[in-house]
Amino acid sequence: MNIQDFIEKFAEAIEVDSVEDLKENTKFRELDEWSSLAVLSVIAMLDEEYDTQIENADFKKLQTISDIVKFIECQK
């Protein structure tokens, strides 16, 4: 999986204006745009774009953008 493509989709899902600020090790929960709506948007994006379902309890364990990518790759 191309990490930059994922970051762009992630940024679109949570409506981040500056994709350049996001890196693999970005702790997404610390972003100003992060909210309960952002959680739902990312979960929906994972389902739609990557055919990956994630339970809320599992999602709570993820901390960085890289953690999300690794989760997706483990589901394939």
Side-chain angles (χ1 to χ4, degrees):
M1 172 187 315
N2 182 316
I3 188 71
Q4 196 56 42
D5 287 344
F6 178 81
I7 289 173
E8 289 172 13
K9 290 175 183 174
F10 180 87
E12 184 179 326
I14 66 168
E15 300 178 358
V16 171
D17 293 328
S18 181
V19 175
E20 296 78 30
D21 293 340
L22 300 178
K23 306 290 182 226
E24 289 179 58
N25 62 349
T26 298
K27 293 184 178 183
F28 58 87
R29 296 177 192 284
E30 296 175 2
L31 297 170
D32 291 340
E33 295 84 359
W34 195 251
S35 66
S36 56
L37 181 58
V39 173
L40 296 176
S41 296
V42 170
I43 290 173
M45 181 269 294
L46 294 178
D47 187 26
E48 185 176 304
E49 297 288 335
Y50 299 98
D51 196 28
T52 299
Q53 290 78 40
I54 184 168
E55 297 294 325
N56 197 31
D58 290 330
F59 192 78
K60 287 181 179 181
K61 297 175 187 173
L62 307 177
Q63 298 298 315
T64 66
I65 291 175
S66 180
D67 291 341
I68 300 172
V69 171
K70 289 175 187 171
F71 179 87
I72 294 167
E73 290 173 342
C74 287
Q75 301 303 305
K76 299 296 176 190

